Amino acid sequence: MSKKNDRATWLKGGFANCSVPPADQKNPARFILLGPPGVGKGTQATLLAKYFGACHLSTGDVFRAAKSLDSCERTPAIEEALMLMKQGALVGDNLVVKMVGERTRCINCGGGFLLDGFPRTVDQAEAFDKILEKEGIGLDAVISYELPIDRIIARLGGRRTCSKCKATFHVEGLPPKEEGICDHCGGELFIREDDKPETIRVRMEAYEKSTQPLIDYYEKQDLLVHVQCGEFPDETLERSLILLQKD
């Protein structure tokens, strides 16, 4: 069984090296992935990474991994970001850009990249364009995964969480053997506040409001590819690949 890439260069930054770097590609795929919660963007990132031989680079993963790093392993930008997060403050655009700028070896990787979670604003996008220009690299496309709000509510609103062991189920995709009861520990299943329809609608409205300027920005550059998500992950992947070939 082949060893899985630990993405150490991305997660740790600095001079860390991945355990299994992606193989160099003749034409490495370089994409940015956009999409609201519930569209299955993470699943698509995994499928696209496998198809193109590229690396899934999530800024969220960097922040999560940073919490377990020793202080000597943290880059200056990560150290500052963790301090702000500990204080409950937002990590600003400049600092996020600095964090990505510390990881240009990943941007230059011959295997390509699927960038997830960055950029989130037009300011970040403009700063990233400058990084790409400096490195002599261009984007192939910005993929925007889309799904009607009612279907997003059905996906997220169908989740059920165990009150004891925190295991998750779905009323359609992964139902418990006994309704309302956890298969693992017998705990009572409940709907998290974030999974309630009214909360999901508020989250989607906030996402659309914050992301629309970014979509317009990449639309003007003729980089945006709109992908309507299918019922199943393989269906969405097939649509993505067809549209990317046309692009």
Side-chain angles (χ1 to χ4, degrees):
M1 184 176 180
S2 60
K3 189 177 179 182
K4 187 178 179 181
N5 181 8
D6 61 2
R7 298 177 301 153
T9 306
W10 176 251
L11 296 179
K12 295 183 179 181
F15 296 99
N17 292 309
C18 294
S19 58
V20 185
D24 287 351
Q25 307 290 331
K26 185 177 180 180
N27 295 300
R30 297 181 176 120
F31 302 136
I32 289 173
L33 308 182
L34 302 176
V39 297
K41 182 159 57 78
T43 299
Q44 290 306 307
T46 300
L47 294 174
L48 287 170
K50 183 177 180 180
Y51 182 89
F52 287 106
C55 196
H56 178 202
L57 307 180
S58 166
T59 49
D61 287 347
V62 172
F63 289 127
R64 283 185 286 271
K67 295 177 182 179
S68 61
L69 292 177
D70 292 334
S71 58
C72 62
E73 294 181 292
R74 298 172 184 167
T75 63
I78 284 297
E79 192 72 63
E80 188 176 348
L82 288 176
M83 182 180 67
L84 289 171
M85 292 164 65
K86 189 175 181 180
Q87 295 170 351
L90 292 175
V91 179
D93 286 350
N94 289 341
L95 188 54
V96 177
V97 170
K98 185 178 178 182
M99 184 207 77
V100 173
E102 291 176 338
R103 289 159 171 76
T104 52
R105 283 197 297 153
C106 292
I107 305 302
N108 279 286
C109 179
F113 62 80
L114 308 171
L115 195 52
D116 177 8
F118 176 89
R120 289 186 181 274
T121 67
V122 172
D123 284 346
Q124 289 182 7
E126 290 175 341
F128 187 52
D129 280 349
K130 291 179 181 178
I131 291 174
L132 292 175
E133 183 179 359
K134 183 178 178 181
E135 299 299 324
I137 291 171
L139 285 174
D140 293 308
V142 177
I143 308 172
S144 177
Y145 291 105
E146 298 162 3
L147 195 65
I149 183 65
D150 290 343
R151 288 185 60 194
I152 290 178
I153 289 175
R155 286 188 179 187
L156 297 180
R159 286 197 300 204
R160 299 294 183 269
T161 304
C162 178
S163 57
K164 291 183 178 179
C165 71
K166 307 305 178 184
T168 56
F169 298 83
H170 194 280
V171 293
E172 295 179 357
L174 186 64
K177 295 175 183 178
E178 183 179 349
E179 186 176 352
I181 302 298
C182 177
D183 292 352
H184 309 294
C185 70
E188 183 180 355
L189 302 182
F190 71 101
I191 304 176
R192 294 185 344 171
E193 190 66 35
D194 282 352
D195 294 336
K196 293 181 178 179
E198 57 272 23
T199 305
I200 295 170
R201 287 189 183 277
V202 171
R203 290 168 63 195
M204 293 305 104
E205 289 173 3
Y207 172 82
E208 290 177 3
K209 183 178 180 180
S210 64
T211 308
Q212 190 59 51
L214 191 61
I215 287 176
D216 293 341
Y217 178 80
Y218 284 120
E219 195 94 71
K220 290 176 182 176
Q221 295 189 34
D222 199 28
L223 284 170
L224 201 71
V225 176
H226 297 272
V227 177
Q228 293 296 323
C229 296
E231 193 66 30
F232 303 101
D234 286 346
E235 182 182 354
T236 302
L237 175 65
E238 184 178 359
R239 290 180 183 178
S240 301
L241 296 177
I242 290 172
L243 290 168
L244 289 171
Q245 287 173 0
K246 287 182 179 179
D247 185 66

